[in-house]
Amino acid sequence: LGYALESEILASQKKYPEAAASMREALAKQPNPVLAARQYALLVAAGKMGEANAFADKWTKEHAKDAAFLSLVGQQRQAAKDTAGAASAYRAALEIDPDNVVVLNNLAWMLNEQGKPEALELAERAHGLAPLNANVIDTHGTILIARGDTQRGLAMLKQATHLAPGDSRLRLNYARALAKGGDKAAAKKELETLLARNPNPSKTRTDAEALLKTL
């Protein structure tokens, strides 16, 4: 725990190589997928992609059934816009745990952005496993709209905002879909609600303000 805490303090100071070194000590004391995923992220932040990928390969070989690590690595790669690397990690995780809702949902979203038909199947599987998960519903609805099933998709996006009314990202996604579908009045109402509930500066608020100006 001491090494892990030291690592996080160093990371907060943007001393990523030093943070990775401390996390390496933490992993030596207690190997677990959360610390391993954090180590991967720290190596990436330090600009050591080769070392990061070598570490990921070594960990997965030594922990062949560790779907949690693969999922976390996939999320890190997705955030870094490494779509090929993220897809590879997600697919490897699904081979171990085919009903992993987070992985199914993340992979579906990413594949939809690439226009790949497989996205809908993955989203449907995730939705079937987690029918009341707002993020899963949002992904499924977004993909349906992309496939031309606009009304059903909008209904899902609306449901997602009802299930998670405080999630500004979901409300922004719904507003975008409404605006794209031509219902500017409804989109404006959603954006005004979002801005009223989120007064602090954020990327979501900036995006909402920009969209509102176009309506």
Side-chain angles (χ1 to χ4, degrees), residues 83-186:
T83 55
S88 177
Y90 286 147
R91 292 188 189 282
L94 289 176
E95 288 182 8
I96 301 166
D97 183 8
D99 291 336
N100 189 310
V101 172
V102 172
V103 175
L104 287 168
N105 189 63
N106 288 351
L107 184 57
W109 183 273
M110 194 170 63
L111 293 179
N112 181 61
E113 290 185 322
Q114 298 171 12
K116 296 186 177 180
E118 183 190 0
L120 181 57
E121 177 194 348
L122 293 168
E124 288 172 343
R125 283 171 58 191
H127 196 179
L129 291 164
L132 296 179
N133 183 303
N135 286 303
V136 169
I137 294 169
D138 176 74
T139 297
H140 193 182
T142 298
I143 294 172
L144 286 172
I145 292 172
R147 298 294 184 275
D149 195 346
T150 304
Q151 292 307 310
R152 187 177 167 213
L154 284 172
M156 285 190 178
L157 297 188
K158 183 176 182 179
Q159 182 188 11
T161 64
H162 287 170
L163 288 170
D167 192 324
S168 58
R169 182 185 57 82
L170 298 182
R171 193 171 297 278
L172 177 59
N173 197 38
Y174 180 38
R176 282 172 171 158
L178 287 168
K180 186 176 180 179
D183 193 345
K184 294 186 177 182

Side-chain angles (χ1 to χ4, degrees), residues 12 67 75-76 85 118 145 179 195 207:
S12 71
Q75 292 173 48
Q76 293 286 343
E118 183 190 0
I145 292 172
L195 294 171
D207 290 346

Side-chain angles (χ1 to χ4, degrees), residues 33-34 37 40 67-77 90:
V34 175
Y40 174 84
F69 174 76
L70 289 166
S71 173
L72 291 168
V73 167
Q75 292 173 48
Q76 293 286 343
R77 289 175 175 173
Y90 286 147

